[in-house]
Amino acid sequence: SPSSPIRTARVLTGLATTYVAQHEYAQAKKRATEAATLLETALGKNTIDYVTVLNLEAEIEREQGNYETAEPLYKSALSILEQTSPRDRVFIVVSSNLGLMYSQSGKLVDAEGYYRKALDCCSGLFGEQSGPCTQVRRRLDDVLRRLGKQPDD
């Protein structure tokens, strides 16, 4: 049945996430790639499941400091989301993760832009004072301080 590859892909995504938590990046990457292939074949690329795996693949690379490899994965995920689900919570996650990558790599102006996108979406979905928005706000304020700017009020 068509749900079987999707179920399998979700299990693989869960396994990959567990491997990331254990810093076993080669295993994580292998499982995430398998999941992406299954999802692309079963559903195509324009789905939240596929975007979630792209984000995971980007996170695997970011956590290892492979920013040049992570960046196009994050941007592909955002591009799909902008076309399909621009107001989904996954947009907040991917934008914030891309902001984090830019912050870690010293590209603070880029980090600010992606944190602002994440915060805008988050505020629209959950309200500015929500838990998800608070984390994004803290990261944005940190970047603003590093840029010598005042954090927003």
Side-chain angles (χ1 to χ4, degrees):
S1 78
S3 66
S4 183
I6 297 164
R7 261 198 314 274
T8 302
R10 287 178 178 162
V11 169
L12 289 167
T13 302
L15 273 173
T17 302
T18 301
Y19 283 127
V20 169
Q22 297 169 348
H23 306 288
E24 293 186 29
Y25 298 113
Q27 286 294 327
K29 188 173 184 171
K30 183 177 178 187
R31 299 303 178 263
T33 301
E34 290 171 16
T37 301
L38 278 172
L39 289 167
E40 186 176 351
T41 302
L43 302 172
K45 292 183 176 182
N46 292 336
T47 65
I48 293 295
D49 280 307
Y50 184 77
V51 166
T52 300
V53 174
L54 270 183
N55 179 68
L56 179 59
E57 288 179 308
E59 284 290 276
I60 292 165
E61 298 301 334
R62 181 190 60 77
E63 291 217 2
Q64 298 176 91
N66 300 332
Y67 303 129
E68 305 77 23
T69 308
E71 182 179 39
L73 293 167
Y74 285 129
K75 288 191 170 181
S76 291
L78 283 177
S79 175
I80 293 166
L81 285 168
E82 285 166 353
Q83 295 167 31
T84 59
S85 315
R87 287 292 176 204
D88 193 275
R89 63 176 184 76
V90 178
F91 184 88
I92 301 164
V93 172
V94 177
S95 295
S96 185
N97 286 344
L98 184 53
L100 179 61
M101 185 207 76
Y102 282 134
S103 176
Q104 290 173 333
S105 65
K107 295 181 177 179
L108 300 179
V109 173
D110 291 326
E112 178 185 357
Y114 283 99
Y115 283 144
R116 287 193 185 282
K117 282 185 177 192
L119 190 61
D120 180 55
C121 183
C122 191
S123 297
L125 282 176
F126 304 115
E128 183 110 12
Q129 303 307 316
S130 66
C133 293
T134 303
Q135 181 185 23
V136 176
R137 162 67 57 207
R138 275 197 306 268
R139 288 179 176 181
L140 173 60
D141 287 350
D142 175 62
V143 165
L144 291 172
R145 278 191 289 277
R146 289 168 62 197
L147 284 167
K149 297 181 180 180
Q150 286 294 330
D152 300 341
D153 292 325

